[in-house]
């Protein structure tokens, strides 16, 4: 208990909504009992419940006892709240009326005595009291609560920072309502309560559709940042309809092929053994096959909040028997090497014998992507397969070039509810193109009585830290796993904490909130706190499939802003992936005759360039040279990510350890590319490919790159400026040591300064030229091509199939010059142009945007994202149309067949970044958090938590107004700027700007 007089000023009490991770951890201490002070959730002027409070009480009462206490008469209290199933304590607890209307003896000494009596009547021992109190009268209740209780006080303007014994604080009735909503969300995430199909926390598919199965497999992948598994039917094998796939972060293998007279090699993220493999049969009949079954109904639901995949269906077999199958699966977030599959079979109208076949299937290849199927695809070779117990087996394989060991161990047990069932187990070991090992398990079933098979699995690779040997670890940890629900408890709790950090709230615009959360789920399943200990990058297509061979591109440019503001330690770990490969980048630059670090456009295990030498055009069937390694702007993305991480965190240790060195070496590379043109007196960068990707060169030299790409040149200047700034931030001795270590002399940095005032930017027709000579290219007959082909997003393929060349036309696959206005604010772009001696007016920017908008085919998910961002302040209606497209890009597979091969992680993260940074005008620069909200009315109000300079903040944005609340702590104040007005925000404080 808290002793009287030991309270803290309210400004020093942690804010409940920015401390949700603490509440999440504590709320599982026991069955909760919620007690509300009526005065804390009413509009004081009208003495009516705040809008939405009644609905949240209705939600909470489904999960735990709820009591409302007040000085009002109990009957009056009951009428005001009007929710059934609630306890009402009038007269501060003198009168207690239960949900059934029966009265119980109260205690009227004070609010504390009333709350104490309520807990005796409602909860009893072993419960977790949660008390939301209001006003000085609540202090006696805070002091009366047991030590394990959660106490929250409602703070009003007139409270004048009075002391309180409460552990947490909320600012007014609106925040109290939101706290109730969060509590309902958290309690609703309990393992035995499924979210309804219309919940913004679920993605549901009704009916089985073989044609859409691979799309659903990709979209409903489950993972934990260490490995992920596609949502394939457990009875299926790889083919045109299904593709079981499991991928571990950073596990690559290289194979060679002969193509068009050339020897090429490709490094691929490896499809690991299929741990899901499970089917069954009835009375020695045919093994169940989802594609040949007579399905009576079928539903598949991805529980986004808990990262659990459910499948439920009924089928009728050839004997007329009806069987119901319910399935749950997850990849444990709290134990990064564990996963589980639960399959429950219920006979309807029959009894008999069911035989399960549960295997670990090592006979897998990389064959998901049709255009790769003609190339080598067998990456695994068998090492060992053995039974380790009557119900358990282990499978060991290794990659055949990189020699990465992989082991999986599985245990299968039978249950009827909480009762263990004895089954008949028989070892199965097949070797047909690879080891398959497991068990056939037979059990008698009775009409209407469900029987459940729990398949518990561990997965280890030789790349995992702190292990001895993969198979040994897999077997040891399998023995430590309890039952399915035991593992699920920890998994759900960990996801609850993650959602406290990552969830985003807004209203309206159809399924927008559901899809935004769905996108966050996939970001976290690919990159989670578990990833922090791994040496891995950001795979462009997640861990969901084999497109792009699992390579790392520049998509981290879109992903890191989401991580920086929530889990910056993870960003730092992922930046280290680049730092550890800088040696390879410097060698690549030297081999190309340059200085500094030349990062590869596509990266895999060791940081060498993994871009294809040849590229297959599926429209023409021809293999053509692939010059995409000329996309040297990848280094800009790495430098940008380094700087943005520092701006958010102020992590000087990072700059000292690696960040400044990376910036210097990347700046050095771009400076070495820049050559002085004597005629113009300006520097030029030649022979590159910009973000557009369509233009690999000029019509007469289609693979040699273009000159003076605007994005590359301007951002190279930005990189040099940031490198110079980073050096000034280092302590003097560190600065001296680093410059000596790198051989960085004043003559070199003086040349950087010169380049940043004389870099070439080309213009034509009053717009920024995408590259030098762009205006000499032909215009495309857009209407004619659309009429002929319909979807012309991949004009490069369309034109090549016609024996034409996209290099000859003024067309873009995606934003190129316009990328400047995505990565930088208009003010930052103008400042750079002014430094270079160019004037760039608002009219110039508008003309440039409109010019390229009319010439872009949107051949990537990135394109719509960037255009939504750019249009957000000038053309809100069109920006929202692009935003809707970004949301639909994967879940509706709007590119026509790419998502089954893997999600587009950058677009998913970028859709959230549109909400958190673009529509709010949020920037982190100049040691200040800058906000300039233009939040769309159609999305209601935005609410999300973020991290900045050691502070946990909560932002609420509506229209052009913003409220920022800081969690309690001892950090120095930060500065918040909104439209030129600057406020200091201290821990525990609130600022409102607009």
């Amino acid at each position: 208990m808290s002793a009287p007089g030991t309270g803290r000023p309210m400004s020093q009490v942690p804010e409940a909504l920015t401390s949700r991770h603490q509440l999440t951890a504590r709320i599982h201490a026991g069955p909760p009992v919620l007690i509300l002070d009526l005065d804390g959730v009413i509009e004081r002027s009208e003495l009516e419940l705040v809008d939405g409070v009644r609905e949240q009480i209705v939600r909470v009462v489904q999960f735990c006892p709820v009591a409302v206490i007040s000085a009002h008469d109990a009957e009056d209290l009951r009428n005001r709240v009007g929710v059934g199933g609630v306890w009402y304590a009038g007269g501060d607890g003198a009168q207690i009326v239960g949900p059934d209307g029966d009265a119980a003896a109260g205690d009227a000494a004070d609010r504390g005595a009333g709350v104490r009596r309520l807990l005796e009547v409602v909860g009893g021992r072993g419960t977790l009291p949660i008390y939301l109190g209001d006003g000085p009268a609540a202090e006696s209740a805070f002091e009366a609560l047991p030590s394990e209780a959660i106490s929250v006080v409602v703070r009003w303007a007139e409270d004048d920072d009075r002391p309180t014994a409460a552990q947490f604080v909320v600012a007014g009735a609106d925040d109290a309502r939101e706290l109730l909503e969060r509590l309902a969300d958290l309690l609703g995430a309990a393992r035995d309560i499924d979210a309804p199909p219309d919940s913004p926390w679920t993605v549901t598919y009704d009916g089985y559709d073989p044609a859409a199965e691979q799309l659903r497999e990709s979209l409903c992948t489950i993972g934990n940042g260490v490995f992920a598994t596609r949502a394939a039917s457990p009875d299926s094998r790889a083919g045109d309809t299904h593709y079981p796939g499991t991928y571990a972060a950073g596990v690559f293998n290289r194979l060679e092929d002969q193509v068009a007279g050339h020897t090429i090699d490709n490094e691929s993220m490896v499809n690991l053994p299929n741990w899901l493999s499970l089917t069954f049969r009835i009375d020695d009949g045919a093994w169940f096959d989802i594609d040949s079954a007579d399905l009576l109904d079928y539903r598949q639901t991805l529980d986004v909040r808990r990262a659990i995949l459910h499948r439920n269906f009924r089928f009728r077999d050839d004997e007329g028997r009806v069987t119901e199958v319910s399935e749950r699966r997850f990849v444990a977030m709290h134990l990064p090497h564990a996963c589980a599959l639960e399959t429950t079979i219920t006979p309807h109208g029959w009894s008999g014998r069911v035989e399960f076949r549960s295997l670990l299937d090592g006979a897998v290849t990389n064959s998901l992507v049709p255009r790769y199927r003609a190339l080598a695809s067998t990456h695994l070779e068998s090492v060992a397969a053995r039974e380790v117990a009557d119900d358990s087996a282990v499978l060991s394989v290794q990659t055949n070039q990189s020699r990465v060991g992989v082991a999986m161990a599985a245990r299968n047990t039978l249950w009827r509810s909480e009762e263990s069932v004895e089954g008949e187990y028989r070892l199965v070991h097949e070797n047909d193109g690879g080891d398959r090992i497991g068990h056939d398990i037979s059990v008698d079933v009775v009409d209407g009585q469900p029987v459940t098979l729990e398949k518990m699995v561990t997965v280890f690779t030789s790349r995992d830290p702190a292990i001895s040997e993969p198979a040994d670890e897999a077997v040891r940890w399998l023995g430590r796993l309890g039952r399915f629900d035991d593992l699920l408890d920890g998994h759900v709790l960990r996801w609850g904490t993650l959602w406290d950090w990552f969830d985003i709230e807004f209203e309206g615009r159809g399924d927008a909130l559901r899809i935004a959360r769905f996108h966050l789920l996939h970001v976290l399943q690919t990159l989670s706190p578990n990833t922090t200990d791994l040496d891995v990058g950001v795979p462009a297509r997640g861990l969901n499939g084999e497109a792009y061979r699992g390579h790392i591109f520049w998509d981290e440019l879109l992903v890191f802003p989401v991580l920086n503001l929530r889990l910056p330690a993870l960003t730092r770990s992922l930046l280290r992936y680049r730092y550890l490969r800088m040696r390879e980048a410097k060698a690549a630059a030297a081999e190309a005759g340059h200085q500094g670090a030349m990062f590869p456009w596509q990266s895999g295990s060791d940081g060498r360039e993994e871009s294809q030498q040849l590229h297959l055009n599926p429209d023409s069937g021809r293999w053509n040279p692939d010059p995409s390694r000329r996309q040297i702007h990848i280094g800009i993305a790495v430098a940008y990510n380094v700087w943005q991480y520092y701006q958010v965190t102020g992590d000087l240790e990072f700059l000292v350890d690696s960040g400044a060195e990376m910036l210097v070496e990347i700046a050095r590379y771009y400076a070495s590319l820049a050559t002085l043109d004597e005629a113009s007196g300006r520097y030029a960068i030649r022979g590159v490919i910009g973000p557009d990707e369509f233009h690999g060169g000029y019509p007469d030299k289609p693979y040699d790159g273009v000159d003076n790409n605007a994005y590359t040149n301007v951002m190279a200047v930005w990189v040099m400026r940031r490198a110079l700034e980073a050096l000034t931030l280092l302590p003097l001795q560190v600065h001296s040591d680093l410059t000596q270590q790198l051989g960085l002399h004043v003559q070199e940095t003086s040349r950087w300064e010169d380049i940043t005032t004389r870099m070439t930017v080309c213009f034509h027709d009053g717009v920024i030229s995408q590259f030098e000579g762009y205006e000499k290219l032909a215009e495309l007959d857009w209407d004619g091509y659309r009429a002929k082909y319909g979807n012309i997003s991949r004009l490069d393929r369309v034109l090549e199939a016609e024996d034409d060349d996209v290099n000859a036309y003024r067309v873009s696959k995606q934003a190129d010059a316009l990328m400047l206005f995505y990565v930088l604010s208009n003010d930052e772009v103008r400042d750079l142009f002014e430094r270079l001696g160019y004037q760039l007016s608002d009219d110039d920017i508008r003309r440039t945007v409109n010019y390229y908008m009319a010439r872009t085919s949107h051949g990537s998910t990135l394109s719509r994202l960037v255009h939504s961002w750019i249009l957000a302040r000038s053309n809100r209606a069109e920006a929202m149309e692009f935003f809707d497209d970004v949301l639909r890009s994967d879940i509706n597979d709007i590119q026509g067949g790419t998502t089954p091969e893997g999600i587009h992680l950058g677009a998913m993260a970028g859709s959230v970044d549109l909400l958190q940074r673009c529509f709010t005008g949020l920037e982190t620069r100049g040691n200040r958090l800058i906000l300039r909200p233009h939040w769309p009315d159609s999305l209601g109000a935005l609410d999300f938590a973020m991290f900045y300079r050691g502070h946990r903040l909560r932002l609420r944005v509506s229209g052009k107004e913003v409220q920022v609340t800081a969690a309690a702590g001892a950090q120095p104040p930060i500065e918040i700027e909104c439209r030129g007005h600057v406020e200091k925000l201290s821990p525990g404080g609130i600022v409102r700007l607009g």
Side-chain angles (χ1 to χ4, degrees), residues 280-324:
F280 59 90
R281 60 182 177 180
I282 300 168
D283 291 340
D284 295 325
W287 292 107
F288 177 80
D289 174 8
I290 189 76
D291 293 306
S292 60
D294 178 14
L295 294 174
L296 304 178
D297 51 55
Y298 182 94
R299 169 172 283 182
Q300 177 174 312
T301 300
L302 180 62
D303 183 333
V304 172
R305 188 196 340 250
R306 300 183 294 176
I308 306 170
L309 180 63
H310 300 253
R311 287 200 321 158
N312 302 88
F313 58 89
R314 292 182 308 132
F315 71 97
R316 180 183 289 110
D317 63 21
D318 292 342
E319 303 298 323
R321 294 170 295 206
V322 174
T323 305
E324 180 181 352

Side-chain angles (χ1 to χ4, degrees), residues 68-82:
V68 181
I69 191 169
S70 172
H72 294 274
D73 177 84
E75 190 61 30
D76 176 52
L77 188 57
R78 190 173 187 175
N79 291 335
R80 284 175 183 271
V81 177

